[in-house]
Amino acid sequence: MNEIRFSSPKEQGKLDSVASDVLRNVRISKAFIIWIGFLFLALAACLYAYIIQLKEGLGVTGLRDYTSWGMYIANFVFFVATSLVGMLISSVLGLIGYNWVKPISRIAEIIAIAFAAVAGLVIISDMGRPDRFPFLFRFGRIQSPILWDVTVVTTYLVLSLLLWYFPLIPDLAISKNRLHGRPSFLIKVYELLSLRWEHHESQYRILKQAMRILLILIIPTAFAIHTVTSWLFAVTPRTGWDSTIFGPYFLSGAFVSGTAAVIIAMYFFRVNYKLEKYLTPFHFEKMGRVLILVSIVYIYFNLNEFLVPGYKLKTGDAIHLRELFTGHYAMLFWGVQLVGLVIPVILLLIKQMRRPMPMMIISVFVLAASWLKRYIIVVPGQGHPNLPIQNVPVEWVVYKPTLIETAVTIASILLVLIIITILSKLFPVIPIWEIAEDDHDKEKLSGNE
Amino acid sequence: MAKEKQEKSNEKPDLDKVVEESRRDFIRRLSIAGAVSVTGAAALYSGHSFEKAKHSKGMVRVLTEDNRLVEIPADQIKDLKPDIKALKARGKEGLQGKRWVMVIDLSRCRNARKCVEACQSAHHLRPYEYHINTLVMKESVNTPEYFMPKPCQHCDNPPCVSVCPVDATYKRQDGIVLIDNERCIGCRFCMAACPYSARMFHWQEPSQAENDKEKVYDVELNVPQKKGTISKCLFSADRIREGLLPYCVSACPNGVFYFGDENEDAVTNGTTKETVMLSELLQKNAGYRLQVELGTNPRVYYLPPKNRLFEFERGPEKEYREETI
């Protein structure tokens, strides 16, 4: 157990203490088995709903000819949005040189992986002919934004996986000898995935270079995935979607939901994994500020998106905005804008609210509102096409999601939780070597606290 | 569409005239008589002209794919179903040199809905599944209501085609936008993109799925319809291939529809069978198209509902009930 890079006794001691704190949670406990068992059982129940949908067709959803994109697409947009936070935390903040993101970066990466991976499945659940999914590769037309979306979401998923895995390699090597009493398969997996890492200085140099390249590459990719997702709507001539700012509007909204998701996860790991030493109130305070910043940017885009057409009130926009502001979707719209965006920003400006507990509660509201916000973006615009809806059954006029649709959507959320659980429970959720190294660097800079 | 009349006189085939008949007529006969030789399936779409004559010995003359005239014993003729590849290929190609166009005279529409019914029965749709739908329109408070049949506009710059990820919906050289339901993945991006709400989706098993099971898929008719795929107005591509007017056009009792070829500058009224100059018809009646500001360039023209031939009567509201899913 000779970690060359951490050769001095002091460094070795630091490494040992971080490793033992973090690895304490890496075990298959009873609670873990119950939790994952529950997740899989619930998933099975929800997948039954999808089987019904496969058999009967999409008619079992509330979707019909006029509102033909509903909860599934809204959920897809939400998933893609939330996954962007991996890029925000690790790349943007990390490359700027904010070292405090280090203990959070792996959490952000796990969230990115889980949401990006399931986003791909969500889109399949919306397909009328999921059996023809391979057609996208056999007959794909480069002109269609769907193809761009498939390309960039997969790229983003791969980059996120690498960004999770690369910094994990030294940790696996550090951990593999410290996993006494864990199931032997887990130790084998660690052995295998650590690629015989030997903690040579040169290895670290290469690793850091690789990570830096990934961190840079993932920025345009992340911009691309959500911009392209917004284009699924913005390239159509539909009122409510026909907007030139949809790209940045979606992107700024993505950071809001992602940041909220990370804060919730941080709180959970801090409390349940007893990582108070690593996910400190200081980190929450910082993340609170990030949430304020991204929310204000998002409010700015909302202002543009609604005020400008609201000022002109072109016929189609007028109908659409009336529906949102005072009509059928008014409750939802104002609820999302106020409870999910404006009030959280105001609250977070108060220092006491940036403590872990209140932050977590606020983030839950923000995250739920982010989901509903996607619903508001996707659904209402279709209720008022340019030509009137006539001579159809009443169910076709206003979209109402069905139970089956909801169950399939819940299945996707369960799947996200399963991925997050497995990645965070079976592998160190805090980067061990980076924390140890960070303190080591800090000391070198002669106590700059 | 002067072909319509010629078509009728051909009901009893006169063998001497066969040679003179156009390829299109021949193809119709071919599909009826089923006199398809081994090479017939290819000839079906390849566009070669084709002759046949029955000899007393029971020999049949057949033009092969490489343009050779051969004779084969009549008893060796095997009936071939028109094969799906051939149907697809000709469905992709369209009718050369044509630019199909429709004109809808709103001053004549009294919401008989015969167009809707004829279309639904031809394409095996339910009463609330539309390729063409007759809408009640009202532009503003002070302007009167009128009826407007709304088929697919067969745009020359179709937003639906642009967004399709797998080339399931496509624009043909003769102006028709078709949908291949054996390719469609059911993403419904085209529905989202269509500003005319012209597309429908099979949310459940199509009404005649059971009966149509054995049928070979004809992309120009879009039958059999398939669950989980898009369907839409096809300008009755199968009918115009046979030299007939589209189902809706022929079914209208009130002379609302004209259909024809823009290149010939001629359109034929489906009710009166009168053929007029397209450009003149549009000019004299101030023809217009829907939502031109979107740049979609529709191939369907409307004549304004002025000097209405019928009073506007809304009639009793019909209630549509969804079949249980």
Side-chain angles (χ1 to χ4, degrees):
Chain A
M1 217 198 302
N2 188 17
E3 280 107 9
I4 293 168
R5 186 174 164 76
F6 305 94
S7 47
S8 79
K10 194 174 175 198
E11 286 168 350
Q12 188 69 50
K14 172 76 186 165
L15 187 70
D16 283 339
S17 91
V18 178
S20 82
D21 284 345
V22 174
L23 291 175
R24 200 175 46 231
N25 300 295
V26 180
R27 66 199 159 86
I28 299 181
S29 60
K30 217 181 217 166
F32 170 75
I33 291 172
I34 291 170
W35 169 241
I36 205 94
F38 160 75
L39 286 179
F40 272 107
L41 268 180
L43 182 69
C46 290
L47 283 185
Y48 179 64
Y50 183 62
I51 290 170
I52 295 175
Q53 180 185 312
L54 271 184
K55 245 201 279 184
E56 305 291 322
L58 278 171
V60 298
T61 66
L63 300 166
R64 289 298 179 266
D65 281 359
Y66 294 93
T67 303
S68 74
W69 281 355
M71 195 189 254
Y72 291 155
I73 297 288
N75 195 40
F76 167 73
V77 176
F78 171 77
F79 275 24
V80 174
T82 310
S83 78
L84 286 206
V85 75
M87 177 276 271
L88 176 71
I89 303 285
S90 313
S91 289
V92 176
L93 300 182
L95 286 174
I96 288 172
Y98 290 141
N99 266 335
W100 59 265
V101 299
K102 273 189 182 165
I104 306 171
S105 60
R106 192 166 290 159
I107 297 175
E109 233 36 84
I110 289 173
I111 286 176
I113 292 168
F115 279 97
V118 182
L121 295 179
V122 169
I123 207 76
I124 293 177
S125 74
D126 186 67
M127 285 171 64
R129 298 297 302 241
D131 54 312
R132 294 180 182 174
F133 182 73
F135 283 16
L136 279 175
F137 307 99
R138 272 174 71 192
F139 307 113
R141 281 173 81 245
I142 202 76
Q143 299 95 316
S144 171
I146 286 189
L147 223 69
W148 312 343
D149 220 21
V150 171
T151 314
V152 288
V153 170
T154 347
T155 312
Y156 184 74
L157 177 60
V158 171
L159 288 180
S160 296
L161 269 171
L162 292 178
L163 260 180
W164 171 76
Y165 177 57
F166 279 10
L168 189 68
I169 298 173
D171 280 0
L172 293 171
I174 293 167
S175 311
K176 66 183 178 195
N177 301 320
R178 292 180 161 93
L179 288 174
H180 314 296
R182 312 303 201 283
S184 60
F185 86 89
L186 194 62
I187 299 171
K188 282 230 179 67
V189 169
Y190 271 55
E191 186 78 51
L192 202 73
L193 290 180
S194 63
L195 308 176
R196 299 188 184 194
W197 185 266
E198 286 181 333
H199 304 283
H200 277 298
E201 202 61 60
S202 60
Q203 284 182 316
Y204 277 100
R205 221 176 17 249
I206 295 169
L207 178 73
K208 283 186 176 169
Q209 253 168 17
M211 279 169 60
R212 204 179 158 73
I213 292 170
L214 284 177
L215 286 172
I216 293 168
L217 279 181
I218 207 166
I219 295 176
T221 315
F223 269 68
I225 66 169
H226 217 38
T227 306
V228 170
T229 303
S230 82
W231 287 348
L232 294 182
F233 306 97
V235 297
T236 70
R238 238 169 229 281
T239 304
W241 292 355
D242 184 7
S243 161
T244 54
I245 65 159
F246 249 38
Y249 176 49
F250 271 44
L251 207 62
S252 57
F255 294 144
V256 176
S257 66
T259 307
V262 167
I263 292 170
I264 296 169
M266 278 166 66
Y267 183 83
F268 176 85
F269 293 131
R270 174 183 153 89
V271 175
N272 283 39
Y273 285 14
K274 310 266 179 301
L275 293 172
E276 290 89 348
K277 241 199 275 177
Y278 306 94
L279 301 167
T280 62
F282 166 79
H283 291 103
F284 279 85
E285 153 78 25
K286 286 285 186 193
M287 285 303 283
R289 289 171 186 227
V290 171
L291 187 54
I292 294 175
L293 174 69
V294 293
S295 298
I296 287 175
V297 174
Y298 192 40
I299 289 172
Y300 167 74
F301 276 107
N302 271 284
L303 210 62
N304 278 275
E305 183 58 20
F306 293 110
L307 191 77
V308 174
Y311 189 90
K312 289 179 284 196
L313 284 182
K314 291 194 276 186
T315 320
D317 290 338
I319 297 169
H320 179 59
L321 292 179
R322 195 177 309 122
E323 201 64 356
L324 292 183
F325 292 169
T326 56
H328 187 252
Y329 294 98
M331 279 285 281
L332 206 54
F333 178 81
W334 291 114
V336 163
Q337 300 291 45
L338 296 177
V339 181
L341 206 53
V342 176
I343 296 174
V345 169
I346 295 171
L347 288 178
L348 286 172
L349 289 173
I350 306 164
K351 197 168 167 51
Q352 282 76 15
M353 287 293 169
R354 297 200 294 272
R355 311 268 322 146
M357 177 70 149
M359 280 261 295
M360 188 274 288
I361 294 169
I362 290 171
S363 296
V364 168
F365 277 96
V366 172
L367 193 65
S370 298
W371 193 94
L372 292 170
K373 172 81 180 184
R374 304 308 182 281
Y375 187 88
I376 291 239
I377 291 173
V378 173
V379 173
Q382 297 170 81
H384 299 277
N386 297 352
L387 296 173
I389 302 175
Q390 287 173 6
N391 311 317
V392 290
V394 279
E395 302 94 320
W396 292 39
V397 181
V398 179
Y399 165 67
K400 268 196 224 88
T402 61
L403 192 65
I404 289 182
E405 213 172 346
T406 314
V408 175
T409 301
I410 291 173
S412 66
I413 295 168
L414 291 171
L415 215 55
V416 166
L417 289 177
I418 288 173
I419 296 177
I420 293 178
T421 306
I422 290 176
L423 293 188
S424 66
K425 188 67 190 168
L426 299 187
F427 299 99
V429 73
I430 304 280
I432 300 168
W433 68 273
E434 283 180 282
I435 301 286
E437 184 187 72
D438 191 28
D439 284 21
H440 157 96
D441 289 346
K442 244 185 237 163
E443 273 160 35
K444 267 193 183 163
L445 287 168
S446 67
N448 205 10
E449 248 320 88
Chain B
M1 283 281 104
K3 280 274 150 55
E4 185 90 328
K5 279 173 195 158
Q6 193 191 328
E7 212 41 68
K8 287 205 173 122
S9 66
N10 278 341
E11 262 151 26
K12 282 180 204 142
D14 179 350
L15 289 179
D16 295 336
K17 276 192 183 167
V18 168
V19 183
E20 293 154 29
E21 279 187 24
S22 77
R23 166 173 59 91
R24 227 185 287 147
D25 289 339
F26 165 67
I27 288 168
R28 185 174 66 95
R29 184 179 320 272
L30 186 70
S31 59
I32 296 166
V36 189
S37 72
V38 200
T39 53
L44 197 63
Y45 71 93
S46 61
H48 292 299
S49 61
F50 183 98
E51 295 175 70
K52 66 166 184 183
K54 266 191 186 147
H55 283 235
S56 49
K57 295 172 213 158
M59 297 295 276
V60 173
R61 281 190 187 177
V62 172
L63 192 66
T64 62
E65 223 177 340
D66 54 350
N67 248 346
R68 276 189 315 140
L69 189 63
V70 296
E71 227 176 29
I72 51 169
D75 55 353
Q76 291 204 4
I77 287 176
K78 218 172 40 181
D79 277 357
L80 278 183
K81 269 190 181 176
D83 83 300
I84 185 137
K85 268 194 185 153
L87 285 172
K88 275 227 176 111
R90 79 174 190 186
K92 266 273 184 222
E93 194 124 304
L95 298 162
Q96 261 177 19
K98 302 290 186 185
R99 298 291 291 164
W100 302 113
V101 59
M102 183 183 273
V103 181
I104 299 175
D105 187 349
L106 298 176
S107 69
R108 300 181 186 206
C109 181
R110 63 185 314 182
N111 201 22
R113 296 188 78 79
K114 294 290 175 223
C115 54
V116 178
E117 286 160 21
C119 169
Q120 286 170 336
S121 102
H123 296 109
H124 301 183
L125 303 173
R126 292 187 174 85
Y128 51 86
E129 296 173 336
Y130 299 104
H131 284 184
I132 183 169
N133 191 355
T134 321
L135 305 174
V136 177
M137 298 295 289
K138 189 175 170 69
E139 306 294 337
S140 61
V141 190
N142 294 324
T143 52
E145 289 178 304
Y146 59 93
F147 295 112
M148 185 179 88
K150 183 214 63 183
C152 167
Q153 307 289 304
H154 294 275
C155 307
D156 278 347
N157 180 21
C160 52
V161 171
S162 307
V163 298
C164 179
V166 292
D167 207 15
T169 190
Y170 54 90
K171 178 86 178 165
R172 300 203 312 197
Q173 51 150 345
D174 59 1
I176 301 183
V177 175
L178 279 190
I179 163 86
D180 177 354
N181 77 17
E182 306 224 301
R183 176 69 69 83
C184 176
I185 62 170
C187 69
R188 310 188 300 291
F189 202 172
C190 54
M191 291 184 103
C194 177
Y196 305 100
S197 310
R199 289 171 166 257
M200 57 155 291
F201 186 74
H202 285 293
W203 301 100
Q204 59 194 106
E205 203 61 74
S207 59
Q208 298 185 34
E210 203 55 44
N211 300 337
D212 291 346
K213 230 185 229 164
E214 299 300 312
K215 282 203 180 124
V216 177
Y217 174 61
D218 181 0
V219 70
E220 291 189 338
L221 182 63
N222 206 29
V223 166
Q225 303 274 356
K226 276 188 196 66
K227 184 177 82 176
T229 65
I230 295 283
S231 190
K232 67 179 273 294
C233 157
L234 315 152
F235 262 5
S236 300
D238 60 320
R239 291 261 290 188
I240 52 181
R241 182 173 287 283
E242 293 177 13
L244 299 172
L245 290 167
Y247 299 105
C248 53
V249 175
S250 322
C252 177
N254 296 323
V256 175
F257 294 93
Y258 295 82
F259 191 85
D261 179 7
E262 192 184 6
N263 288 344
E264 282 177 16
D265 198 19
V267 284
T268 305
N269 189 295
T271 316
T272 63
K273 300 289 186 287
E274 180 193 5
T275 299
V276 294
M277 267 178 84
L278 170 69
S279 52
E280 211 178 278
L281 184 71
L282 295 177
Q283 223 158 55
K284 276 197 179 148
N285 297 285
Y288 68 96
R289 295 178 297 173
L290 297 180
Q291 301 177 43
V292 276
E293 66 277 10
L294 297 177
T296 49
N297 267 330
R299 298 200 69 74
V300 175
Y301 291 84
Y302 286 90
L303 306 182
K306 59 150 202 168
N307 297 335
R308 206 97 51 83
L309 294 188
F310 306 105
E311 278 309 305
F312 180 89
E313 279 173 53
R314 209 181 237 272
E317 196 81 24
K318 193 180 164 199
E319 202 181 308
Y320 291 86
R321 282 261 171 78
E322 193 173 61
E323 278 173 38
T324 41
I325 293 175

